[in-house]
């Protein structure tokens, strides 16, 4: 496939008319009728065969409703989509984001110093390393107590203000790596436009000890600018001097002018580039608060984990390529089993925000309805991603996973070593991690194999209760296992999902790097905000529902509750 072919976003033959697609549809009729019990019974070594390993992560994909033929056909589908060429194009810095004519070069953010990569004549890696160096100096100064607030006090509180990719990445990764963080520093994350978020995050804080990091790629985002200005006012009111802003605010953005207009000096601005998508930005300067928490060395260890997975994705044969396998399996369930959702179930409390993070990564990337060439797709695209840290989910929604009517493919994510061998210091109980992981393994087994009516009866269950206690099984899952939750393991895990999402987007022939769908709501909100702020009741020209709701709102907000 020629480069021009890719740049103009021309497409391979329509997805559903390709040989591999048709063969998969045909094959689904056979495999869809088989039970995982059967697939395991037919191949005693299935669990030993259907796995792959990279960058410290072991993927067991044997509990999926596939056989060797399924894999062969899915890989053929990948080939027929030009997957290899598209991966190369992304790593090379081609404008794979065709609707915005931009590269998607997040892989450059974690490439080792000295790597050669020029885009439009610019040494991209050198620029990345320069910013990393500035971030490290700033982080070290804060961690070491050399960076002082306006009144000479040490900074003890860091408040990250940002939304979407400028919040979810740092907030998720900070929580994930809290074990490695400097505990004398306190971190808070403010994203929501609701004033409650900032009010609660700053409650009880001494402005003299507080640093705000305003994160926004565009520096035009309503939520972030509103919260940023409110924080600025709060800070100046407490410290009594506009000049305090210089010691209490930093910014992360691609928009130097916007940052300057806000009143943050270039010395406290950390830049990145338009080729970093918001949802792919946690390893850019957007991760500044994370770097302050865990230190530059651990941050670099996280980048090394990202890079290890990048290298694997770029070079490993597709049949052993973790992101490709995960991506192809997502396509298999979405398009051939009509699964509409996918659950992500990390068995680690520190990964509690991972499902929310993956929602943006997956759904903002692949929630698209037209192909690169602008044609309406005639197949389903992104699954709805949801989930919760184990074992909490087991006591709420797992009932549906086991016995509901929807097929929900699940990703189970776990670690061989917990970070807390004792629940509390001095406690004599067994390693609590074993109990957690016993549940982890038990759930994937129960989902796959279930419990037959004969087994239920053999337990002495009354006949009329038997149907209620049967678990059909045949519910697919992936198991992702690493030794321990380290910065490197987190980086590799995030990169795994980034590239799985890209793989899916390539198969669906959509632009995984734009997000036009969020624009209309923003534009309407601006118009509506002007109407709500108007003292005279303006003539409302929305639909009759919106008009009525707004009038009711206007009336009730003036009456005392
Ligand atoms: O970083 P910002 O420019 O403030 O953007 C924050 C977020 O808002 C937008 O609406 C996009 O949907 C997100 O992809 C982005 O991460």
């Amino acid at each position: 496939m020629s480069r021009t072919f890719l740049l103009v976003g021309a497409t391979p033959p329509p997805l559903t008319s390709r040989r591999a697609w048709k063969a998969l549809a045909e094959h689904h009729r056979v495999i869809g009728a088989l039970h995982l019990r059967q697939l395991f019974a037919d191949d005693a070594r299935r669990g030993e065969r259907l796995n792959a390993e990279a960058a410290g992560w072991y993927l067991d994909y044997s509990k999926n409703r596939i056989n060797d033929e399924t894999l062969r056909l899915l890989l053929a589908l990948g080939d027929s989509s030009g997957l290899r060429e598209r991966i190369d194009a992304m790593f090379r810095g081609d404008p794979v984001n065709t609707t915005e004519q931009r590269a998607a070069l997040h892989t450059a953010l974690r490439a080792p110093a000295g790597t050669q990569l020029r885009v439009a004549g610019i040494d991209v890696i050198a620029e990345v390393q320069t910013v990393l160096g500035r971030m490290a100096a700033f982080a070290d100064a804060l961690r070491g107590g050399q960076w002082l607030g306006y009144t000479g006090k040490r900074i003890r509180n860091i408040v990250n203000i940002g939304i979407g990719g400028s919040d979810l990445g740092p907030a998720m990764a900070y929580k994930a790596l809290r074990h490695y963080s400097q505990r004398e520093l306190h971190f808070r994350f403010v994203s929501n436009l609701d004033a409650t978020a900032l009010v609660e995050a700053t409650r009880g804080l001494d402005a003299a000890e507080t640093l705000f990091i305003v994160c926004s790629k565009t520096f035009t985002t309503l939520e972030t600018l509103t919260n940023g200005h409110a924080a600025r006012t709060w800070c100046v009111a407490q410290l009594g001097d506009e000049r305090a802003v210089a010691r209490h605010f930093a910014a992360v953005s691609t928009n130097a002018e916007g940052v300057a207009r806000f009143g943050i000096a270039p010395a406290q601005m950390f830049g990145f580039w338009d080729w970093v998508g918001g949802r792919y930005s946690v390893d850019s300067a957007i991760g500044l608060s994370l770097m302050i928490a865990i230190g530059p060395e651990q941050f670099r260890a996280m980048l090394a984990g990202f890079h290890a997975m990048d290298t694997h994705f770029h070079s490993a044969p597709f049949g052993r390529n973790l992101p490709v396998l995960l991506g192809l399996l997502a396509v298999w369930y979405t398009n051939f089993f009509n699964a509409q959702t996918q659950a992500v179930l990390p068995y680690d409390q520190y990964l509690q925000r991972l499902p929310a993070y993956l929602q943006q990564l997956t759904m903002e990337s692949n929630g698209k309805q037209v192909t690169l060439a602008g044609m309406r797709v005639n197949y389903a695209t992104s699954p709805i991603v949801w989930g919760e840290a184990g074992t909490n989910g087991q006591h709420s929604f797992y009932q549906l996973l086991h016995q509901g009517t929807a097929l929900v493919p699940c990703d189970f994510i776990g670690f061989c070593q917990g970070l807390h061998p004792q629940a509390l210091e001095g406690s004599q109980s067994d390693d609590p991690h074993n109990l957690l992981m016993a549940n982890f393994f038990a759930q994937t087994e129960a989902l796959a194999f279930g419990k037959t009516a004969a087994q239920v009866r053999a337990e002495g269950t009354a006949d009329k209760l038997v149907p209620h206690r049967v678990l059909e099984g045949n519910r697919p899952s992936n198991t992702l296992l690493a030794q321990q939750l380290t910065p490197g393991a987190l980086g590799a895990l995030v990169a795994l999902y980034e590239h799985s999402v890209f793989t899916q987007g390539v198969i669906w022939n959509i632009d995984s790097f734009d997000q036009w769908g969020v624009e209309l709501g923003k534009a309407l909100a601006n118009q509506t905000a002007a109407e709500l702020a108007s003292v005279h009741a303006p003539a409302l020209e929305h639909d009759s529902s919106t008009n009525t709701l707004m009038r009711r709102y206007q009336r009730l907000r003036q009456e005392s509750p």
Side-chain angles (χ1 to χ4, degrees):
M1 191 180 299
S2 77
R3 202 167 155 183
T4 354
F5 180 76
L6 284 165
L7 294 189
V8 295
T11 56
L15 185 56
T16 52
S17 67
R18 281 189 237 150
R19 200 164 0 141
W21 181 278
K22 289 181 176 160
L24 277 162
E26 192 61 36
H27 173 71
H28 171 257
R29 279 194 232 152
V30 180
I31 207 86
L34 289 180
H35 199 288
L36 278 166
R37 287 182 203 128
Q38 188 65 47
L39 293 168
F40 272 85
D42 289 348
D43 176 2
R45 296 190 54 246
R46 184 179 167 92
E48 291 153 40
R49 281 196 317 112
L50 299 188
N51 57 65
E53 208 168 337
W57 283 96
Y58 176 86
L59 165 67
D60 176 326
Y61 58 96
S62 64
K63 293 192 182 91
N64 280 293
R65 295 177 63 179
I66 57 168
N67 62 12
D68 292 346
E69 178 65 0
T70 326
L71 278 175
R72 195 185 66 73
L73 292 172
L74 285 170
L75 290 167
L77 187 67
D79 289 340
S80 76
S81 309
L83 181 57
R84 169 59 60 208
E85 293 82 354
R86 295 288 304 282
I87 293 173
D88 288 344
M90 181 179 75
F91 275 85
R92 203 165 47 220
D94 287 4
V96 290
N97 176 355
T98 52
T99 68
E100 295 177 295
Q101 277 300 298
R102 282 180 190 166
L105 256 185
H106 38 286
T107 49
L109 297 169
R110 51 265 192 158
T115 307
Q116 291 305 309
L117 181 64
R118 288 192 166 270
V119 176
I122 292 166
D123 183 344
V124 166
I125 308 295
E127 289 207 350
V128 167
Q129 294 298 323
T130 303
V131 175
L132 276 173
R134 288 187 56 230
M135 287 166 67
F138 189 54
D140 279 338
L142 281 156
R143 289 164 62 82
Q146 293 90 10
W147 179 275
L148 300 177
Y150 185 62
T151 64
K153 281 189 173 176
R154 235 188 118 146
I155 297 294
R156 299 189 187 282
N157 315 304
I158 317 280
V159 182
N160 192 89
I161 298 179
I163 197 163
S166 300
D167 165 71
L168 285 163
M172 177 281 289
Y174 164 70
K175 286 204 167 63
L177 300 178
R178 196 153 184 210
H179 181 69
Y180 304 89
S181 69
Q182 185 167 322
R183 300 288 180 154
E184 303 79 58
L185 293 173
H186 305 288
F187 292 82
R188 299 180 183 189
F189 294 83
V190 176
S191 52
N192 203 325
L193 189 55
D194 185 341
T196 301
L198 185 68
V199 167
E200 288 297 339
T202 50
R203 189 176 292 268
L205 296 189
D206 176 358
E209 300 182 335
T210 302
L211 175 80
F212 292 93
I213 304 180
V214 188
C215 289
S216 174
K217 179 176 171 179
T218 55
F219 230 76
T220 56
T221 305
L222 177 70
E223 289 85 345
T224 303
L225 291 191
T226 306
N227 282 323
H229 282 293
R232 195 180 191 285
T233 307
W234 175 87
C235 178
V236 171
Q238 270 206 25
L239 299 178
D241 195 334
E242 278 283 331
R243 284 173 299 177
V245 172
R247 302 301 298 173
H248 293 274
F249 279 79
V252 181
S253 187
T254 58
N255 175 0
E257 274 173 32
V259 171
R261 251 196 318 276
F262 184 95
I264 298 175
Q268 264 94 258
M269 172 181 161
F270 299 85
F272 61 114
W273 306 269
D274 70 358
W275 43 261
V276 183
R279 51 194 177 273
Y280 299 86
S281 67
V282 61
D283 43 2
S284 71
I286 289 290
L288 180 60
S289 51
L290 171 69
M291 189 196 265
I292 297 167
I294 64 173
E297 203 178 312
Q298 296 285 26
F299 193 85
R300 283 194 181 271
M302 180 185 81
L303 296 184
F306 269 101
H307 179 66
M309 189 59 80
D310 292 345
T311 307
H312 167 78
F313 179 54
H314 201 178
S315 59
F318 289 163
R320 287 193 275 115
N321 193 311
L322 267 69
V324 171
L325 288 167
L326 276 194
L328 291 175
L329 286 164
V331 168
W332 176 232
Y333 292 117
T334 302
N335 297 118
F336 298 94
F337 284 80
N338 298 324
Q340 294 191 339
T341 83
Q342 187 194 341
V344 184
L345 309 164
Y347 275 61
D348 192 301
Q349 186 62 23
Y350 285 125
L351 291 182
Q352 59 187 275
R353 290 293 282 163
L354 186 69
Y357 175 81
L358 293 181
Q359 281 177 335
Q360 188 199 13
L361 177 65
T362 312
M363 292 155 71
E364 201 171 60
S365 295
N366 287 342
K368 308 287 163 66
Q369 60 190 12
V370 296
T371 65
L372 287 171
M375 305 295 289
R376 185 73 158 84
V377 294
N378 60 347
Y379 41 83
T381 59
S382 181
I384 296 158
V385 174
W386 57 287
E388 174 72 58
T391 60
N392 293 359
Q394 290 177 206
H395 297 273
S396 73
F397 57 78
Y398 276 39
Q399 165 62 36
L400 181 149
L401 298 183
H402 288 288
Q403 285 189 316
T405 51
L407 182 77
V408 184
C410 301
D411 284 357
F412 284 79
I413 300 168
F415 299 93
C416 300
Q417 291 177 16
L419 289 167
H420 303 287
Q422 291 181 327
L424 287 173
E425 213 166 310
S427 72
Q428 297 300 313
S429 58
D430 288 347
D431 185 347
H433 195 65
N434 276 339
L435 277 181
L436 175 69
M437 292 306 282
N439 278 276
F440 176 85
F441 296 120
Q443 288 297 330
T444 66
E445 194 176 342
L447 285 166
F449 299 100
K451 201 174 191 182
T452 63
Q455 287 171 311
V456 174
R457 260 188 226 104
E459 289 171 347
T461 306
D463 275 356
K464 68 172 188 193
L465 272 185
V466 170
H468 297 276
R469 302 195 61 168
V470 165
L471 273 80
E472 284 171 0
N474 216 13
R475 318 250 159 163
S477 65
N478 289 306
T479 300
L480 281 161
L481 198 59
Q483 190 176 27
Q484 195 172 51
L485 176 53
T486 59
L490 180 73
L493 181 67
V494 173
L496 167 60
Y497 278 100
E498 286 176 351
H499 298 321
S500 162
V501 163
F502 178 65
T503 300
Q504 294 164 54
V506 169
I507 309 274
W508 291 323
N509 195 26
I510 55 181
D511 189 334
S512 297
F513 300 109
D514 62 12
Q515 58 281 320
W516 299 106
V518 303
E519 297 302 327
L520 175 61
K522 287 184 195 172
L524 286 178
N526 280 337
Q527 182 194 335
T528 308
E531 290 165 349
L532 292 183
S534 165
V535 268
H536 317 289
L540 297 177
E541 288 173 8
H542 302 266
D543 58 275
S544 61
S545 159
T546 311
N547 286 345
T548 310
L549 287 165
M550 284 174 66
R551 282 195 205 101
R552 183 176 182 82
Y553 169 82
Q554 295 284 39
R555 184 164 44 83
L556 287 187
R557 70 193 286 259
Q558 279 156 25
E559 290 173 10
S560 54

